[in-house]
Amino acid sequence: MSKKVLIVGGVAGGATAAARIRRLNEQAEVIIFERSGFVSYANCGLPYYIGGIIEDKEELTLQTPEHFRERFRIDVRVHHEVTAIHPDKKTVTVKNLETGESFEESYDKLLLSPGARPVQPNLPGAGMEHLFTLRTVEDTLKIRDFVVKEKPKSAVLAGGGYIGLEVAENLRELGMDVTIVQRPNQVLNPLDYEMATFVHAKLREKGIHLMLGHSVEGFEKDSDSLKVLLKDVDPLKADMVILAIGVAPDTHLAKDVGLKLGIKNSIVVNDHMETSVPDIYAVGDAVEVHHMVTGQQALISLAGPANKQGRIAADNICGGDSAYKGSQGSSVIKIFDMTVATTGLNEQAAKKSGIDCDKVYLSPSSHASYYPGGTMMTMKVLFEKGSYRLLGAQIIGYDGVDKRIDVLATAMNAGMSALELKDLDLAYAPPYSSAKDPVNMAGFMIDNIEKGTLKQFFWNEVGELPDDDSVVLLDARTPEEYERGHINGFVNIPLDELRDRISEIRKGLPVYVMCQSGLRSYLACRILMQNGFDCYNFSGGYRLYETIYKDCCVAKQSYPCGMDK
């Protein structure tokens, strides 16, 4: 059946929907209105053009208006902004931004894909020269042009999310002095704090300054530079400033026409991507989605979900019956030579949702230890107590991080329990993995918890341990490791000496054991538990604790530490 479909906005959701509509309906008339000059571009690649990694700006353009016309016979009108929707007449008002002319266009079906806009707080000095935001290709070209022509030596990034970190890396690689200012005490909110400390360490190692727990209060001109005014501390001076403090759904059109709105004025849609007004659909960063783990509504601004939503909306516009099952927030980011990946909930979000959760930390190698080139990763896997439902995972490392997060994301999507991770039949060869893959290892650990052969304590509980004779604190590492750094009160008995020295441990007291990564302390606990001791393994090991401790010291935060160096 022939019909006329108008699409407001291109990029991921709108452009995907347009191409899908054409594949399903050769007779449909499809028009895309895009207020920028680019209909489909690689949003996630923008920071890498600023840094010169992507050299040709044409590489950012996935589809041009001309290509859409030639291949799909779709009418793409860039520099055209839809300014009003009239559902009663089934028309929209469009303004040609090049000529200033306005006109009305009719539709049978209307798809909104307006995306999100950068959050721009109403601060003194906002909008002045050398102050940038990054969301569109035009923004990118403007920043890249400034970097090439003006050769700035310093930059401040307000915001420590994905875009902020990617831009910070690229500017640092250009030789700039870079500072990230972030109101929370960590970067990358999808991570829990203790996992984010590994990212903090990498950023500092690469020369990026972190001002965490600080708020930007305004900007002032200072000769050819800018002053970034901060609350309670001295201002920062920089040649350029980029605001990357987040995005908000761009839904003024939806609000004006009376569409039902949800979180942060996002557009409420059903699983067919239909809005509250008949024949109007919406997709992408502007819509509220169902979170697959919590069952609650959420905002998840990622390219993968937007593309899927565009396809589903197109199916239904063309008379199909496709449903969007929701999002779980799987993501990955490169930070210099490090890879950081997440899926599902972090611990903070799980607790906020009222979920009683447990967790395991592990530090496996990316592949078989005897094959050269293996690197260590840090994994945190969350699951619900009692049901062992998988809730989420965070992985930080180098090689193989993306592979493991995708396996865990797939397991979650398939409804597998955390206990079933041990049964996954995963590919193995020494250059790629171990016979016991890290995902299997997480499953083994959780299975041990379920069977009662593993009891744990965690980094934020160390400060609560009694400092008297009511407990035994044991460090199972080698004397050399112990001397390089240990936690106050922990006595060193190496694992390989434990059986011969077990008489040194007082019976009847709970024993808390740690090692470097959590493996040797687990083996120590198995020895002790089978000799009548009540034993608890330090999850994540001294390696995790030391990273947190160092971050606390640099940031002057008051987390429980108490470590001798």
Side-chain angles (χ1 to χ4, degrees):
M1 182 177 69
S2 179
K3 58 181 67 177
K4 183 176 181 180
V5 182
L6 302 185
I7 299 176
V8 181
V11 195
T16 294
R20 177 69 173 170
I21 290 169
R22 175 58 73 232
R23 291 195 296 272
L24 297 175
N25 188 334
E26 185 65 19
Q27 284 72 46
E29 180 183 0
V30 182
I31 304 174
I32 300 176
F33 293 113
E34 169 59 48
R35 64 186 168 201
S36 77
F38 301 85
V39 64
S40 179
Y41 55 88
N43 223 333
C44 299
L46 301 183
Y48 300 100
Y49 178 72
I50 292 171
I53 303 299
I54 299 172
E55 297 179 356
D56 186 354
K57 65 183 179 183
E58 302 300 326
E59 294 292 330
L60 297 173
T61 305
L62 303 177
Q63 297 280 359
T64 64
E66 293 75 21
H67 187 265
F68 261 105
R69 291 191 190 97
E70 290 169 3
R71 176 158 294 180
F72 299 108
R73 296 298 187 266
I74 289 172
D75 184 2
V76 178
R77 304 183 194 179
V78 295
H79 297 134
H80 280 67
E81 181 175 10
V82 174
T83 57
I85 302 170
H86 314 288
D88 52 335
K89 299 188 293 182
K90 298 189 79 169
T91 65
V92 298
T93 301
V94 187
K95 183 177 182 180
N96 184 326
L97 299 179
E98 294 179 351
T99 66
E101 171 200 8
S102 290
F103 59 93
E104 282 200 6
E105 192 77 46
S106 64
Y107 67 83
D108 294 312
K109 303 287 184 180
L110 176 65
L111 174 63
L112 303 179
S113 179
R117 51 183 169 75
V119 173
Q120 296 192 34
N122 187 21
L123 297 174
M128 65 173 48
E129 196 178 9
H130 300 183
L131 183 62
F132 304 91
T133 58
L134 177 60
R135 186 64 181 174
T136 66
V137 174
E138 286 90 346
D139 295 336
T140 307
L141 298 179
K142 189 186 300 182
I143 296 170
R144 176 64 182 169
D145 187 59
F146 178 81
V147 167
V148 171
K149 290 181 179 178
E150 303 298 329
K151 295 180 171 52
K153 292 182 171 57
S154 59
V156 169
L157 276 294
Y162 293 104
I163 294 294
L165 293 193
E166 288 171 341
V167 173
E169 174 189 339
N170 278 275
L171 295 183
R172 181 64 187 149
E173 294 283 34
L174 291 174
M176 290 190 210
D177 186 78
V178 178
T179 301
I180 296 173
V181 180
Q182 169 89 335
R183 181 179 296 172
N185 70 336
Q186 67 168 84
V187 299
L188 292 180
N189 288 336
L191 295 177
D192 287 313
Y193 166 74
E194 73 276 16
M195 299 296 284
T197 60
F198 289 93
V199 181
H200 299 168
K202 174 59 65 175
L203 293 169
R204 291 181 179 121
E205 173 197 320
K206 295 295 184 178
I208 291 178
H209 312 292
L210 299 180
M211 295 284 290
L212 303 176
H214 292 280
S215 300
V216 175
E217 296 207 317
F219 310 93
E220 291 180 357
K221 189 73 174 170
D222 184 15
S223 185
D224 291 333
S225 302
L226 285 176
K227 274 187 180 178
V228 182
L229 308 179
L230 304 178
K231 186 176 182 180
D232 300 328
V233 294
D234 294 336
L236 299 172
K237 186 176 178 181
D239 296 332
M240 65 184 297
V241 176
I242 298 178
L243 293 178
I245 57 178
V247 295
D250 190 358
T251 55
H252 64 280
L253 270 178
K255 186 176 182 180
D256 290 346
V257 78
L259 296 185
K260 184 178 179 181
L261 302 179
I263 303 169
K264 295 184 179 179
N265 286 326
S266 58
I267 303 171
V268 173
V269 293
N270 61 19
D271 61 359
H272 282 54
M273 309 313 298
E274 296 170 316
T275 70
S276 58
V277 174
D279 297 321
I280 300 181
Y281 297 73
V283 298
D285 293 354
V287 306
E288 183 182 80
V289 298
H290 172 84
H291 198 290
M292 295 175 69
V293 182
T294 66
Q296 300 166 0
Q297 298 307 108
L299 285 178
I300 298 179
S301 299
L302 294 168
N307 275 279
K308 295 181 186 73
Q309 293 161 14
R311 177 186 174 93
I312 287 165
D315 286 353
N316 296 318
I317 285 170
C318 293
D321 185 23
S322 293
Y324 186 64
K325 295 181 179 179
S327 303
Q328 65 188 54
S330 300
S331 65
V332 64
I333 179 175
K334 170 188 171 295
I335 301 174
F336 294 97
D337 55 343
M338 176 181 274
T339 301
V340 178
T342 68
T343 189
L345 302 178
N346 62 20
E347 188 174 0
Q348 183 180 6
K351 290 179 176 177
K352 188 176 179 181
S353 298
I355 300 172
D356 191 13
C357 67
D358 204 348
K359 65 213 172 194
V360 293
Y361 298 95
L362 58 159
S363 301
S365 178
S366 58
H367 61 241
S369 58
Y370 59 83
Y371 188 88
T375 56
M376 186 175 289
M377 62 181 76
T378 303
M379 298 176 61
K380 179 179 183 179
V381 180
L382 287 143
F383 55 95
E384 187 175 33
K385 289 182 179 178
S387 72
Y388 291 90
R389 176 170 66 109
L390 274 171
L391 300 175
Q394 302 157 53
I395 310 179
I396 298 174
Y398 300 88
D399 294 335
V401 169
D402 53 340
K403 169 184 174 179
R404 274 63 185 221
I405 206 71
D406 283 342
V407 171
L408 287 161
T410 302
M412 288 176 62
N413 192 274
M416 294 177 61
S417 80
L419 298 171
E420 292 177 289
L421 296 178
K422 70 182 188 304
D423 302 318
L424 289 173
D425 190 356
L426 303 174
Y428 160 63
Y432 302 106
S433 184
S434 300
K436 297 175 182 177
D437 187 85
V439 175
N440 295 136
M441 289 302 301
F444 294 145
M445 293 172 69
I446 296 166
D447 183 63
N448 285 336
I449 292 172
E450 193 269 341
K451 287 181 168 59
T453 56
L454 170 63
K455 294 192 288 186
Q456 304 183 102
F457 70 109
F458 301 101
W459 66 272
N460 56 330
E461 297 172 336
V462 171
E464 301 169 5
L465 293 175
D467 57 1
D468 53 27
D469 293 334
S470 62
V471 298
V472 175
L473 306 180
L474 181 64
D475 191 319
R477 295 177 297 158
T478 65
E480 293 77 18
E481 290 173 303
Y482 183 81
E483 285 302 316
R484 285 196 293 268
H486 60 269
I487 298 176
N488 274 340
F490 278 76
V491 176
N492 183 220
I493 301 180
L495 171 64
D496 294 340
E497 300 176 17
L498 181 59
R499 289 183 179 89
D500 295 330
R501 297 175 59 183
I502 202 165
S503 61
E504 298 177 27
I505 303 172
R506 287 179 59 189
K507 287 255 186 177
L509 299 180
V511 184
Y512 294 84
V513 189
M514 76 157 40
C515 70
Q516 191 67 15
S517 68
L519 175 57
R520 283 174 289 173
S521 51
Y522 166 66
L523 297 176
C525 276
R526 293 307 305 139
I527 294 170
L528 292 169
M529 291 175 78
Q530 293 177 79
N531 279 274
F533 290 91
D534 183 20
C535 196
Y536 298 83
N537 183 38
F538 183 63
S539 188
Y542 184 81
R543 175 175 170 269
L544 172 66
Y545 192 88
E546 184 180 35
T547 304
I548 298 166
Y549 174 82
K550 289 179 177 178
D551 193 71
C552 292
C553 292
V554 172
K556 298 180 181 178
Q557 295 171 4
S558 56
Y559 285 103
C561 294
M563 181 177 70
D564 290 334
K565 288 297 287 182

